[in-house]
Amino acid sequence: FLAHKKYKSLSQAVALYAEMMHLLNTMYNSSDSTYNLMAMGLMDRLFYQSEAIDRLPNLLSSWIPGTFSREYLCDILELTNLTLKLLDSNEKACKDYHIWGKKGKSRKLQQEPKDAVSRMKSSAADFDVINYLARKIFSNHTVFMFTQLLSQYNVNATHINDHVVSFFVRLCKFVVASEQD
């Protein structure tokens, strides 16, 4: 839709994508193990495979001021918030999949993964959320985009303002480089 400048169709697709991410979040946090496995499989395909199909970075970088509607921007913000929430939750859930060895190198618990669930957990444990944020989400373009939304603070829904503030708090806490011992 972007290549053919069909912005209205793209806006509808992004709204649907945000709803699908809400559903994925619900499945991931469900008490039903079947839904959890389905969510893990979807997240694996979206984020963790070598040819991941995550479209959020492209959507963030392709935003053009004055071209897209405010609703589109709210959907992108919602999509960003849900994506980061899912990645954070899964990172915490899979952190015990690896044992940290000397100098921060990881070793697999026992042997190579033998089934799909183990492979997905291994991929999720190897996924670097900090690198994802630094390379694909945090940019001056994204900051400008969300400040435009924040400039309408008085008319935004409460959850939209909360998501914008949450994004900027995360950005402020982000460490670009650290000194090595």
Side-chain angles (χ1 to χ4, degrees):
F1 294 131
L2 192 60
H4 297 291
K5 296 184 180 184
K6 294 184 177 182
Y7 301 121
K8 186 175 181 181
S9 297
L10 178 63
S11 183
Q12 291 170 343
V14 168
L16 179 60
Y17 188 19
E19 290 301 317
M20 291 169 65
M21 287 300 284
H22 274 289
L23 179 60
L24 180 57
N25 187 42
T26 302
M27 289 170 58
Y28 182 83
N29 293 309
S30 172
S31 59
D32 187 336
S33 63
T34 304
Y35 290 149
N36 297 136
L37 287 175
M38 289 171 50
M40 285 278 301
L42 290 168
M43 288 178 65
D44 183 59
R45 185 68 182 110
L46 277 172
F47 305 112
Y48 306 133
Q49 290 189 1
S50 59
E51 293 185 28
I53 59 172
D54 179 24
R55 297 291 177 240
L56 179 60
N58 294 342
L59 293 170
L60 288 170
S61 65
S62 64
W63 178 77
I64 304 166
T67 302
F68 295 101
S69 67
R70 184 177 167 285
E71 289 77 22
Y72 175 83
L73 192 51
C74 290
D75 288 335
I76 292 288
L77 175 67
E78 190 75 25
L79 189 56
T80 302
N81 183 65
L82 286 166
T83 298
L84 298 180
K85 189 176 179 181
L86 277 169
L87 289 174
D88 286 344
S89 297
N90 205 37
E91 180 182 44
K92 288 176 188 170
C94 294
K95 72 178 179 182
D96 294 331
Y97 193 76
H98 286 255
I99 298 174
W100 293 100
K102 294 180 182 177
K103 298 181 182 177
K105 293 182 181 175
S106 64
R107 292 179 278 134
K108 296 221 184 332
L109 279 176
Q110 293 177 353
Q111 50 186 312
E112 291 299 313
K114 293 183 178 179
D115 63 349
V117 174
S118 295
R119 185 195 54 75
M120 287 186 290
K121 286 184 178 180
S122 177
S123 296
D126 290 340
F127 187 78
D128 187 0
V129 176
I130 301 298
N131 190 35
Y132 176 80
L133 290 170
R135 290 179 174 245
K136 297 186 176 186
I137 303 298
F138 292 154
S139 70
N140 61 344
H141 186 74
T142 307
V143 169
F144 177 70
M145 193 164 100
F146 291 153
T147 55
Q148 293 299 305
L149 195 55
L150 191 59
S151 71
Q152 300 174 356
Y153 185 87
N154 291 334
V155 295
N156 290 340
T158 304
H159 75 280
I160 295 297
N161 290 331
D162 290 344
H163 294 337
V164 173
V165 170
S166 173
F167 178 83
F168 285 124
V169 167
R170 181 187 285 259
L171 181 64
C172 289
K173 291 180 179 179
F174 188 77
V175 177
V176 176
S178 63
E179 291 184 34
Q180 304 253 336
D181 293 329

